[in-house]
Amino acid sequence: MLSDAARPRPGGGRDLPGSATEGFVRTYGKPPEGVWSAPGRVNLIGEHTDYNEGFVLPFAIQHRTAVAASLSPGHSVRARSTFSSEPAGAALAEIAPGKDAGWGAYVLGVAWALSSARPLASLPGVDLFIDSDVPVGAGLSSSAALECAVACALDELWGLGLDRPSLALAGQRAENEVVGAPTGIMDQSASLLGEGGSAVFLDCRTRHAEAVPLRLEEAGLDLVVIDTCEHHAHATGGYAERRASCERAARLAGVSALRDLRPEDLPKLAELADEETYRRARHVVTEDARVTEAVALLRASGPAAIGPLLSASHASMRDDFEISTPALDLAVEASLSAGALGARMTGGGFGGAAIAVVRKEASAALQEAVKEAFAGAGLATPSISTVVPSQGARREY
Ligand code: GLA
């Protein structure tokens, strides 16, 4: 997936802006006007609550997608990347929902979402070259990183002057309408609003966002991500079914979204809904309560206090929402046995990654123990790393 052209950066990761620039020059024969980048995200807690107009607490991570870009003559978008030999591109007027597949749909979808309400003649074409170190299909939102980096580049090059919440909406529209995945607003919000050291506490109904400092370093904690390497896609299957169950439960309860129910309203819903729909709703309603409790605990006592909420969130996704997998359950159980303060799957589910919060001195042993548990169960070796809350989308130069 990763380009050979990518050079190591002093202190660790690859020089993504540099390699996107090199790729741009190689492809288009001139330097780009600028490079923009946006990060992937880890959701600390608040899963499948965003499209129920509830609460989420994600943070932007250090892995990013960089887009080198320039205006070009004509009215077409052309894009190349280090992660596919397939080019993407289309005339702006011809981009339409359902027409494009693959990674290009995210790029063209954002161009479509940003251009569709504007007179085409006012928008020139754009050339893009993209590099990324956000793992794909790992539940770390490589798609939002791509959408948000492209959205920031197009916003500036086209002089649209949109604010971050509007750019997040453009990314979500691209995903919902062009890619065809009925996802919520969490991932794009984390990628655009993230701040170093903090999580984004977002009310997905009002779109009010607050930075909540995580203080992992101060507390001597690592946040470990265990990518099971079971890849998932939200344009198909289970994700849309879960969303439909939530909408059904809200209709039965007579509310516009499950956000309007409290845990004490659940017994009433149990009388109205079938058993499965009830369990789906119970996950969402209790998860909203866990998010607000986690924010209060983070503020009052710091990150070591939220462990039990993370583990309760996982149990709810495993038993009520049924979006975990045996590998994700194993990642969580092995982490807890190895001393994690809390652990849960993160992201949409049906594969992807789990997270564990662990004291730094126990982190290496936990990572070993998880790998051993996977080997013992005959599962492929998971890819394990630590993440730090990082800055959201930005212009690199
Ligand atoms: C995916 C979606 C998000 C959100 C999560 C589940 O990441 O893109 O909008 O629904 O799943 O919390």
Side-chain angles (χ1 to χ4, degrees):
M1 281 277 187
L2 303 178
S3 149
D4 294 338
R7 289 164 289 155
R9 199 171 221 198
R14 294 184 305 123
D15 173 14
L16 289 170
S19 83
T21 303
E22 276 176 26
F24 189 96
V25 173
R26 231 180 15 254
T27 309
Y28 303 108
K30 57 176 185 182
E33 282 169 45
V35 177
W36 290 260
S37 79
R41 65 97 189 93
V42 154
N43 189 16
L44 194 56
I45 193 161
E47 222 65 82
H48 287 261
T49 45
D50 59 354
Y51 56 78
N52 289 298
E53 300 185 14
F55 302 102
V56 292
L57 190 62
F59 62 89
I61 58 174
Q62 70 271 30
H63 301 292
R64 304 182 78 85
T65 293
V67 175
S70 277
L71 294 178
S72 68
H75 295 286
S76 292
V77 176
R78 297 191 295 178
R80 288 265 185 183
S81 71
T82 51
F83 41 83
S84 170
S85 52
E86 288 295 311
L92 277 171
E94 282 164 19
I95 304 171
K99 259 182 129 174
D100 300 282
W103 70 275
Y106 296 93
V107 176
L108 299 177
V110 170
W112 171 82
L114 290 175
S115 66
S116 54
R118 294 175 173 81
L120 192 56
S122 69
L123 295 175
V126 229
D127 289 338
L128 308 160
F129 192 94
I130 300 157
D131 192 8
S132 177
D133 67 4
V134 186
V136 174
L140 301 179
S141 240
S142 54
S143 52
L146 177 55
E147 290 154 9
C148 295
V150 170
C152 289
L154 296 184
D155 177 60
E156 267 198 69
L157 289 173
W158 283 343
L160 304 177
L162 295 171
D163 61 13
R164 298 251 158 163
S166 308
L167 294 176
L169 272 178
Q172 188 194 10
R173 273 193 76 201
E175 194 139 344
N176 292 171
E177 295 177 46
V178 177
V179 178
T183 48
I185 194 70
M186 170 171 74
D187 305 343
Q188 294 82 2
S189 302
S191 184
L192 285 157
L193 303 175
E195 289 180 19
S198 292
V200 180
F201 175 37
L202 179 72
D203 179 334
C204 299
R205 171 172 282 168
T206 64
R207 302 284 156 86
H208 177 74
E210 277 174 50
V212 179
L214 285 184
R215 302 197 177 93
L216 293 167
E217 207 48 48
E218 253 173 82
L221 297 178
D222 263 359
L223 208 145
V224 177
V225 173
I226 303 150
D227 176 5
T228 62
C229 300
E230 289 177 328
H231 289 179
H232 66 282
H234 296 318
T236 48
Y239 186 98
E241 273 170 33
R242 296 304 182 279
R243 190 168 177 157
S245 295
C246 292
E247 284 161 6
R248 188 162 57 245
R251 268 197 310 278
L252 289 169
V255 292
S256 67
L258 287 181
R259 145 69 175 270
D260 295 313
L261 298 186
R262 301 280 165 274
E264 51 274 23
D265 299 322
L266 285 168
K268 178 99 196 302
L269 181 64
E271 289 166 18
L272 302 169
D274 64 86
E275 196 265 340
E276 186 186 276
T277 306
Y278 171 70
R279 280 190 293 114
R280 304 293 188 248
R282 182 167 63 184
H283 163 70
V284 173
V285 174
T286 57
E287 185 79 349
D288 269 336
R290 282 186 287 271
V291 177
T292 47
E293 201 182 332
V295 170
L297 279 175
L298 280 168
R299 288 182 170 142
S301 318
I306 64 167
L309 288 173
L310 303 185
S311 304
S313 168
H314 184 77
S316 176
M317 288 187 284
R318 183 192 58 210
D319 303 335
D320 276 357
F321 219 58
E322 295 181 282
I323 54 171
S324 189
T325 64
L328 286 166
D329 291 342
L330 183 62
V332 167
E333 281 151 26
S335 296
L336 292 173
S337 305
L341 305 181
R344 61 187 285 277
M345 52 146 283
T346 185
F350 308 102
I355 55 170
V357 174
V358 62
R359 299 212 182 279
K360 278 190 186 296
E361 57 275 18
S363 182
L366 175 143
Q367 298 182 33
E368 262 326 292
V370 172
K371 284 186 186 153
E372 274 169 28
F374 271 62
L379 294 169
T381 313
S383 162
I384 307 187
S385 58
T386 55
V387 286
V388 287
S390 304
Q391 196 194 344
R394 61 180 179 231
R395 185 169 184 163
E396 297 284 350
Y397 71 80

